[in-house]
Amino acid sequence: MTVLTAPEMHLAADTLDWHTVCGVADLEVAWGEAALIDGEQVALIKVSASEVYAVSHRDPATGAHVMARGIVGNKGWHRTLASPLHKEVYDLATGECFTDPALSLRVYPVRLRDGMVTVGLPAGAAVGIAA
């Protein structure tokens, strides 16, 4: 089992609902895919055979749902995703924006189990951001 989470997402197991989204093999390395999970638009980003990140598909700078089409890269040891619109660069693990500290990208915990990708969303609460 692999669990990749931002530090602020270390929540008790009963505070998350885990949703099986797709097979790990269905995702391509260095490419994002959009998924609708319990009403929330999520971008899944596979950076290696054993590393998958889940972030909001909504671009924090513009509100457009485009992050799955972002540019995957790194900054030192940090895996990054740059917005396809204005190229703001976000840390995939924490959501921190390296180019504009006023922005942050919502991140979700991910588990890889038995070849499947599961994403944790807060239990019993709508996580969507109002436009």
Side-chain angles (χ1 to χ4, degrees), residues 31-129:
W31 191 256
E33 293 292 343
L36 185 61
I37 307 170
D38 199 25
E40 180 71 8
Q41 291 188 43
V42 175
L44 299 174
I45 311 296
K46 184 176 180 180
V47 297
S48 74
S50 62
E51 284 181 275
V52 176
Y53 294 89
V55 299
S56 176
H57 189 41
R58 183 180 183 273
D59 182 336
T62 66
H65 289 86
V66 296
M67 295 306 290
R69 295 299 165 246
I71 302 163
V72 178
N74 64 357
K75 181 175 177 146
W77 294 102
H78 300 274
R79 303 293 194 166
T80 62
L81 182 66
S83 166
L85 298 177
H86 297 289
K87 310 303 184 255
E88 292 89 355
V89 179
Y90 299 92
D91 185 313
L92 279 169
T94 67
E96 172 189 5
C97 183
F98 293 115
T99 52
D100 184 348
L103 299 173
S104 65
L105 182 64
R106 183 185 292 260
V107 297
Y108 303 98
V110 174
R111 290 180 180 167
L112 306 182
R113 283 193 181 159
D114 301 322
M116 300 302 289
V117 176
T118 58
V119 176
L121 299 180
V127 294
I129 301 170

